[in-house]
Amino acid sequence: MLENAIGQLDTLDKISRLERPSQYGATQEDRLFNVGLELAITWINRILFLKLLEAQLFSYHKGDKGYAFLHSEKVGSFDDLEALFFQVLARKHEERGAELNKRFGNVPYLNSSLFEPTDIEHATISISNLRDDRTLPVYSQTVLKDQQGRKLTGHLDALRYLFLFLEAYDFSSEGSEEIQEENKSLINASVLGLIFEKINGYKDGSFFTPGFITMYMCRETIRRAVVQKFEEAKGWSGLTFETLYNKIDDIHEANNIVNSLRICDPAVGSGHFLVSALNEIIAIKNDLRILTDRQGKRLKEYHVEVVNDELIITDEDSELFEYLPGHKEKQRMQEALFHEKQVIIENCLFGVDINPNSVKICRLRLWIELLKHAYYKNERELETLPNIDINIKCGNSLISRFAIDADLKQALRKSNWSMDSYRVAVSTYRNAQTKDEKRQMEKLILDIKSEFRSEISVNDPKIKEMARVRGDLGLLLGQTSLVERTKKEQQEVEKKIKLLAEKLSKLESEHDEAKSSRIFDNAFEWRFEFPDVLDNDGEFVGFDVVIGNPPYIRQEELTEFKTHFQRSYETYAGMADLYVYFVEKGMSLLRSNGDFIYILPNKWMRAGYGAALRNYIKHYSIQQILDFGDLPVFEEATTYPCIMHLVKGESVKEFEAVNIDTLDFPERLEAYVSSNSNTIAYADLLEDGWALKDRKVMDLLAKIRSKGIPLSEYVNGKIFYGIKTGLNEAFVIDRDTRERLIAEDPKSEEIIKPFLAGRDIKRYEQPTSDKYLILIKNGDTQSWFGKLDSESALNKMNDRYPSIMNHLLQFETKAKARYDQGQYWWEQRACDYFEEFEKDKIIIPAIVKSASYAFDRNSYYSNDKTCIIPTDDFYLLAVLNSKVVDFYLKSIASTKQNGYFEYKPVYVSQLPIALANDETKIELTSLVNKMIEEISPEEMLNKKTIEFQIEQIISSIYGLTEMEDEMYE
């Protein structure tokens, strides 16, 4: 597994293709798989960390082989490996025993929960349970070589294979420029992040974000947040990051202000964004000249910057910093970097993820960041690692039992705890020096949260409302026999009783659902999980920055959550992808005027399901949207992303937008954005979809729009999708199969229809195809034979269409598995416009580079890569095929890769169709008739002339000038 992941960094390898079960439900077999995967990732995490530690010790001691400990001579069995985990790294030297100290005397004590048995290890197996005699086949693309320099083949003992494989790489820290004596690939912490993503797999909808993007997103938001922190703390205003430097006169105070930042990634994955944020904050302190050593003295001899998503440290001679134990100045710098990172990780960085493996990996990456600057406290002891795991938690970020504004004051008044005691418990846990102290703090924190949970539950508005309704109902029922009433009065009372009973039943049902529903199994309680973002009264203040790359999971996989999302999120839409709800959740987690930035699919700007999200974010201050169009930002996915930067403040009515057309940024993404940005006014954003164009283009689009009415209105809403068969191999046949079926049974011809695919549609041409559709519409079987069970209906169909049914029966199993089948498996799904395909119509291919509308008068049916407009309006065909209207569509439609656009009803329906006079319509109709006539190749030149005439007429209909014509050429 590990060699595959590391060896295939340039592709989506077998690891990430594993058919892992969805986190939203699993069979027993799936759960066993998940347990095995979680154990494997736990062990791999520890081993990779130890390999990095070994590399650090080598570096500190100039390659002294005495500091090597991950090899078969010292770790000869899985029992030895477990001893290394739990009896060496987790224990001080004096607690290890003579034999272990002799063997691992140079291995430091780290005091990290990484080297404590996990709950899953306690419940299942430890690594010592693995068989030492187990052999593994050598991976076919292995990096290992035999003595002749050829790829190693055969089988190896598992542990020996592991050590040989790790030894084939150079595990070094960022910024190292040492000459390598052997030709080994470099494995540093940044590369490990990608490896971890691959081992973890991509089935949960998360993808590794390229470093140039995480760098940009962190720089844009964190520097703005730092300026805001100083303005609030010092009462300053009108600052920029560049002018802030000259205002700082107290280094200690300035550090405290920066350290008060609170940054959260609510779908943290491998922790890439948090690591980038950590590097950025260190770079910010350097740029503000407030980076200090442990005595508070400036580190002015050094320069720190983030380059290629790595922290690069150079001295005043531009030499890369390298730690040397015993060297006073280098010791000073190493200690400063370690403790600066520790303070930032403990105070500033927070993350949540539903995937426990992602949480493990994120914690590991942050420990690795500390390991890079670990230093010797004395001759043999490294500074221990703090328990930073408490800031990275496992849970479903989108599901909570308690609202952000749930009242915590009652809980604080009734308990023995204050917010200060809660914060002290968390701080003590982070820096616990012994396992006992850590466990005591764990228990204390759990007790505090348990009391909060209980008190919030008691004061839940729904519970109070139930009590009130129950009381009102009891009062009415109690009065029923005590008071004499008229018939009318009695009816009124009974009506009130009925309404109260129904209301109580609904409230009790919702309450029971919240208590018992499995969607709350992994609920994450933002209300009290992070005391760092609560004030002294327990009120949720929020984070300064919310950042990340939320998971992309299609709505089909969210069925069991939809009711909850509908009740809980303003941005709910039935077809919405999961990332939509992460936007709203992220904004709810921000403090007032806090910064939100995500990289997410750009479909929300144009898709129907994005309408609620578009409306939602317009209520805030949109700072910037960077659209990557169809650029392949993620190697693992065909998702086309954008970067959305919002501020939780009142909308400012305009924002910066950039349409990015390259992934090559010689001077970093910031420079590209600076020279290619447009200003977009909220007023120019259409309800049906957003176009991020410059002012001239936006004015032209507005002019085109003003000259016509939407196509949907022009054709009275008659724009239809093509047919999705659900199983083309069964229902779409070729000409030979059609002729054979009809020869066997002439009656078959009545349900075999000519059929087009999107690729068969050419601009202005009458389409042709040698494909046919077997069309048995939903409800046909019942209309022919009455309501029958499936077996009886199948027998009747066999009698009516024997050759057709004999053909379809070979696909019965697959046809039954279709989600879009009709009443019976041989029927097409329900559709109330089948007859429209039989009419004259305009057909539109869905994925093309430019307008390719064609006219069909031969009753073709078409597939789901097309849509149709039943009409014989040649004037409309000319307008739709024009460059003017196609320019408009390309400004609002989603892009696909390599310059293709989506010509779907959601976009086509918005096209503004100008209303010409009868004379112009007649002229254009005549020209279109000539365009669709069958002509010889010699006549093609004349066709170009006709098309030019059509374009000129349509341009004049829309009132465009020559300069405006040039804008869409």
Side-chain angles (χ1 to χ4, degrees):
M1 175 186 284
L2 183 58
E3 180 168 16
N4 194 353
I6 294 178
Q8 299 290 323
L9 291 180
D10 58 336
T11 61
L12 183 58
D13 56 60
K14 295 177 185 176
I15 297 301
S16 55
R17 290 195 192 114
L18 286 171
E19 290 301 318
R20 292 175 56 229
S22 167
Q23 62 203 11
Y24 300 108
T27 64
Q28 178 67 17
E29 184 178 350
D30 290 337
R31 286 190 288 273
L32 287 173
F33 181 97
N34 276 340
V35 168
L37 185 65
E38 187 171 344
L39 284 168
I41 287 176
T42 299
W43 299 332
I44 289 171
N45 282 354
R46 290 178 184 144
I47 292 165
L48 289 176
F49 183 88
L50 291 181
K51 193 63 184 175
L52 285 167
L53 172 62
E54 185 183 62
Q56 288 289 91
L57 297 179
F58 262 21
S59 172
Y60 295 169
H61 298 280
K62 300 301 181 183
D64 185 342
K65 296 295 183 182
Y67 287 86
F69 57 87
L70 273 185
H71 54 77
S72 298
E73 290 180 20
K74 289 195 174 181
V75 183
S77 67
F78 286 109
D79 286 335
D80 291 340
L81 195 55
E82 180 168 298
L84 181 60
F85 289 166
F86 305 136
Q87 296 174 45
V88 176
L89 288 139
R91 295 187 183 181
K92 296 178 180 178
H93 285 83
E94 60 269 22
E95 298 172 355
R96 292 177 182 175
E99 194 276 329
L100 285 176
N101 258 334
K102 181 179 178 182
R103 201 188 325 175
F104 298 110
N106 288 329
V107 178
Y109 163 62
L110 292 181
N111 184 40
S112 165
S113 54
L114 179 63
F115 296 104
E116 293 179 7
T118 62
D119 291 341
I120 200 167
E121 286 176 301
H122 281 305
T124 55
I125 63 172
S126 184
I127 198 166
S128 63
N129 295 117
L130 300 181
R131 288 169 46 188
D132 294 322
D133 60 352
R134 176 69 184 271
T135 62
L136 295 175
V138 177
Y139 175 53
S140 60
Q141 302 299 318
T142 185
V143 297
L144 301 182
K145 303 286 196 301
D146 61 18
Q147 291 181 342
Q148 285 73 43
R150 296 175 299 201
K151 279 185 181 177
L152 204 62
T153 58
H155 287 68
L156 289 171
D157 292 344
L159 205 54
R160 180 166 176 264
Y161 186 2
L162 173 64
F163 291 146
L164 284 174
F165 169 66
L166 293 176
E167 189 57 33
Y169 290 87
D170 177 20
F171 284 75
S172 298
S173 296
E174 280 86 343
S176 174
E177 286 190 343
E178 291 182 2
I179 298 172
Q180 296 181 19
E181 295 181 4
E182 301 173 76
N183 186 22
K184 295 182 178 181
S185 297
L186 179 68
I187 298 292
N188 56 30
S190 298
V191 176
L192 279 177
L194 181 51
I195 294 168
F196 292 147
E197 292 284 357
K198 287 184 173 293
I199 293 173
N200 202 18
Y202 300 101
K203 297 298 179 181
D204 56 1
S206 301
F207 299 98
F208 186 80
T209 310
F212 75 90
I213 287 177
T214 60
M215 284 170 56
Y216 176 83
M217 291 168 67
C218 287
R219 186 180 177 89
E220 288 296 300
T221 51
I222 298 175
R223 294 193 174 222
R224 183 187 178 281
V226 165
V227 171
Q228 184 183 328
K229 283 285 187 185
F230 275 93
E231 289 185 333
E232 291 174 355
K234 304 291 290 181
W236 297 336
S237 62
L239 287 180
T240 65
F241 187 83
E242 289 69 27
T243 60
L244 175 59
Y245 167 73
N246 294 320
K247 299 278 286 184
I248 295 173
D249 54 13
D250 186 329
I251 297 175
H252 177 72
E253 178 190 38
N255 267 288
N256 287 338
I257 291 172
V258 174
N259 293 340
S260 70
L261 281 169
R262 302 291 181 261
I263 300 166
C264 179
D265 184 344
V268 75
S270 73
H272 190 182
F273 277 95
L274 295 189
V275 171
S276 286
L278 172 63
N279 289 340
E280 178 61 27
I281 295 172
I282 297 286
I284 284 171
K285 289 191 174 189
N286 174 81
D287 292 350
L288 295 176
R289 294 295 183 263
I290 62 172
L291 192 62
T292 65
D293 64 16
R294 299 186 72 189
Q295 285 71 47
K297 295 179 181 178
R298 275 186 180 149
L299 295 168
K300 56 187 177 182
E301 305 89 349
Y302 296 94
H303 178 70
V304 180
E305 63 178 328
V306 182
V307 179
N308 296 327
D309 206 25
E310 297 177 2
L311 198 65
I312 304 298
I313 302 154
T314 53
D315 62 21
E316 52 196 359
D317 297 321
S318 299
E319 295 292 328
L320 286 167
F321 170 76
E322 183 182 4
Y323 175 52
L324 182 62
H327 187 287
K328 184 177 179 181
E329 179 57 29
K330 291 183 181 293
Q331 181 77 14
R332 170 178 173 258
M333 183 61 176
Q334 188 79 344
E335 289 187 21
L337 290 169
F338 181 94
H339 287 283
E340 279 291 346
K341 284 190 170 184
Q342 178 181 349
V343 166
I344 293 167
I345 291 170
E346 290 181 351
N347 288 278
C348 306
L349 307 180
F350 303 84
V352 179
D353 204 284
I354 195 171
N355 186 336
N357 295 327
S358 295
V359 170
K360 285 182 169 65
I361 289 168
C362 178
R363 291 169 177 171
L364 176 65
R365 288 202 68 188
L366 293 174
W367 272 313
I368 288 172
E369 289 304 310
L370 286 173
L371 176 64
K372 291 178 191 177
H373 298 289
Y375 64 88
Y376 278 96
K377 296 189 292 184
N378 52 49
E379 288 186 2
R380 66 185 306 187
E381 284 188 292
L382 278 183
E383 177 61 75
T384 55
L385 298 180
N387 296 302
I388 58 176
D389 51 318
I390 198 167
N391 281 17
I392 312 300
K393 301 190 176 186
C394 189
N396 188 335
S397 295
L398 298 179
I399 306 290
S400 301
R401 284 187 171 88
F402 308 116
I404 292 283
D405 59 356
D407 188 4
L408 205 58
K409 292 189 182 72
Q410 294 274 15
L412 288 169
R413 280 197 292 268
K414 292 185 178 181
S415 73
N416 297 318
W417 316 113
S418 65
M419 288 312 303
D420 281 340
S421 61
Y422 187 14
R423 292 192 192 100
V424 167
V426 171
S427 178
T428 306
Y429 172 88
R430 289 177 180 137
N431 296 284
Q433 294 300 303
T434 66
K435 304 299 184 222
D436 286 342
E437 186 181 11
K438 179 183 173 183
R439 291 189 180 93
Q440 287 173 11
M441 289 303 103
E442 276 182 319
K443 183 179 184 306
L444 179 58
I445 292 166
L446 287 173
D447 288 345
I448 294 172
K449 291 195 295 188
S450 178
E451 286 201 29
F452 289 167
R453 186 185 299 270
S454 299
E455 285 300 324
I456 292 177
S457 296
V458 169
N459 291 284
D460 186 339
K462 284 187 178 179
I463 293 178
K464 289 184 175 181
E465 178 69 359
M466 276 194 296
R468 187 191 65 77
V469 173
R470 195 177 286 117
D472 291 347
L473 182 59
L475 189 62
L476 280 176
L477 290 171
Q479 292 175 350
T480 302
S481 59
L482 299 176
V483 180
E484 275 196 37
R485 299 186 179 91
T486 65
K487 184 176 180 181
K488 184 178 179 181
E489 289 173 335
Q490 184 63 27
Q491 287 175 340
E492 286 295 320
V493 170
E494 289 174 357
K495 183 179 179 181
K496 288 181 180 178
I497 289 173
K498 182 181 178 183
L499 289 173
L500 285 170
E502 288 175 350
K503 186 173 184 178
L504 180 61
S505 176
K506 182 181 179 183
L507 287 168
E508 288 176 339
S509 176
E510 289 178 359
H511 178 65
D512 290 344
E513 178 190 348
K515 286 176 62 179
S516 62
S517 175
R518 63 185 300 273
I519 72 167
F520 290 100
D521 287 352
N522 294 317
F524 188 78
E525 302 308 335
W526 292 97
R527 182 64 189 86
F528 49 72
E529 281 290 348
F530 293 123
D532 310 72
V533 290
L534 306 180
D535 66 16
N536 289 331
D537 293 324
E539 295 297 324
F540 187 87
V541 177
F543 296 94
D544 299 293
V545 176
V546 170
I547 193 168
N549 177 3
Y552 316 151
I553 296 178
R554 296 189 307 146
Q555 57 88 22
E556 290 90 346
E557 298 181 47
L558 306 176
T559 304
E560 66 179 301
F561 292 89
K562 282 191 173 182
T563 300
H564 177 81
F565 289 154
Q566 189 170 16
R567 280 202 300 255
S568 306
Y569 288 88
E570 292 179 46
T571 52
Y572 174 80
M575 300 295 289
D577 195 301
L578 193 69
Y579 71 82
V580 168
Y581 309 119
F582 267 97
V583 174
E584 184 174 343
K585 175 56 71 177
M587 291 300 290
S588 75
L589 297 175
L590 279 178
R591 67 191 295 269
S592 177
N593 210 34
D595 280 76
F596 165 99
I597 194 164
Y598 277 173
I599 181 168
L600 69 172
N602 59 21
K603 286 188 71 172
W604 66 271
M605 286 193 283
R606 301 169 182 89
Y609 71 70
L613 177 58
R614 294 193 293 270
N615 184 61
Y616 175 83
I617 68 171
K618 281 175 71 175
H619 290 92
Y620 297 102
S621 176
I622 305 173
Q623 297 293 295
Q624 190 181 71
I625 298 176
L626 311 184
D627 187 1
F628 288 88
D630 63 350
L631 293 173
V633 174
F634 301 121
E635 291 183 3
E636 312 88 4
T638 55
T639 297
Y640 306 119
C642 67
I643 294 174
M644 177 201 290
H645 180 186
L646 313 175
V647 167
K648 193 172 185 177
E650 290 189 18
S651 60
V652 293
K653 304 308 178 187
E654 64 180 27
F655 62 93
E656 182 182 44
V658 183
N659 292 287
I660 297 175
D661 58 12
T662 180
L663 295 179
D664 182 19
F665 308 109
E667 299 181 23
R668 304 199 349 171
L669 180 55
E670 291 93 328
Y672 181 93
V673 169
S674 177
S675 58
N676 290 277
S677 65
N678 306 314
T679 299
I680 305 294
Y682 282 24
D684 291 332
L685 298 172
L686 301 180
E687 194 171 316
D688 293 330
W690 291 5
L692 306 181
K693 306 295 181 182
D694 65 29
R695 173 58 58 191
K696 287 183 179 179
V697 173
M698 295 299 288
D699 288 345
L700 178 56
L701 292 174
K703 182 175 182 178
I704 295 170
R705 190 164 58 250
S706 71
K707 297 293 183 177
I709 62 173
L711 175 62
S712 58
E713 183 179 334
Y714 184 90
V715 297
N716 296 317
K718 292 190 174 181
I719 307 171
F720 304 107
Y721 275 106
I723 294 173
K724 184 174 183 178
T725 72
L727 190 63
N728 280 356
E729 61 182 297
F731 297 99
V732 179
I733 58 176
D734 58 24
R735 187 181 302 277
D736 289 344
T737 303
R738 172 185 180 272
E739 291 176 357
R740 175 177 59 77
L741 294 175
I742 294 173
E744 293 172 359
D745 174 23
K747 193 175 176 63
S748 297
E749 187 171 7
E750 64 190 30
I751 57 170
I752 298 179
K753 308 293 183 180
F755 192 65
L756 297 168
R759 61 179 175 274
D760 299 320
I761 316 300
K762 309 297 180 186
R763 194 163 184 264
Y764 281 121
E765 294 180 14
Q766 166 62 47
T768 60
S769 172
D770 60 357
K771 299 294 183 184
Y772 297 85
L773 173 68
I774 296 174
L775 182 62
I776 307 170
K777 300 189 288 289
N778 181 60
D780 278 354
T781 308
Q782 184 171 324
S783 69
W784 294 328
F785 311 118
K787 193 169 184 179
L788 297 171
D789 60 73
S790 295
E791 186 175 350
S792 300
L794 180 58
N795 290 333
K796 291 286 188 180
M797 286 296 295
N798 279 326
D799 291 339
R800 185 180 180 100
Y801 298 114
S803 65
I804 292 288
M805 297 309 295
N806 184 54
H807 166 79
L808 292 178
L809 278 168
Q810 62 186 310
F811 305 102
E812 180 178 4
T813 300
K814 290 182 179 179
K816 284 180 175 178
R818 292 181 302 156
Y819 72 88
D820 57 352
Q821 63 186 282
Q823 185 177 350
Y824 300 99
W825 65 260
W826 53 84
E827 291 181 341
Q828 293 299 319
R829 64 176 176 173
C831 173
D832 59 4
Y833 56 86
F834 279 118
E835 68 279 359
E836 304 294 344
F837 289 96
E838 305 277 355
K839 300 175 181 178
D840 288 353
K841 57 189 172 292
I842 294 172
I843 307 184
I844 310 161
I847 309 295
V848 285
K849 290 188 174 182
S850 59
S852 299
Y853 304 77
F855 181 71
D856 170 49
R857 53 167 60 98
N858 294 329
S859 301
Y860 273 104
Y861 285 70
S862 59
N863 72 357
D864 60 324
K865 297 297 185 290
T866 67
C867 56
I868 65 168
I869 305 173
T871 181
D872 59 2
D873 187 344
F874 281 8
Y875 167 75
L876 176 61
L877 181 61
V879 172
L880 291 174
N881 267 327
S882 70
K883 292 179 180 178
V884 175
V885 172
D886 201 42
F887 166 77
Y888 191 94
L889 182 136
K890 288 174 178 175
S891 298
I892 64 171
S894 292
T895 58
K896 307 295 277 186
Q897 203 161 0
N898 299 322
Y900 285 85
F901 287 81
E902 291 188 318
Y903 287 68
K904 292 184 175 181
V906 64
Y907 307 125
V908 172
S909 64
Q910 301 174 45
L911 297 177
I913 308 302
L915 302 177
N917 58 42
D918 290 343
E919 183 181 345
T920 302
K921 284 188 174 183
I922 291 170
E923 183 181 5
L924 279 174
T925 298
S926 173
L927 290 171
V928 170
N929 262 314
K930 293 177 182 178
M931 285 293 293
I932 63 177
E933 288 174 358
E934 295 285 342
I935 60 173
S936 65
E938 292 76 21
E939 296 174 293
M940 283 300 295
L941 183 60
N942 185 46
K943 202 167 186 176
K944 293 288 184 184
T945 302
I946 296 170
E947 191 166 2
F948 178 77
Q949 289 178 271
I950 292 173
E951 294 292 347
Q952 291 292 103
I953 294 170
I954 290 175
S955 180
S956 66
I957 292 172
Y958 284 92
L960 303 185
T961 66
E962 186 175 339
M963 185 178 297
E964 287 170 331
D965 282 341
E966 291 175 358
M967 290 177 64
Y968 61 78
E969 283 296 334

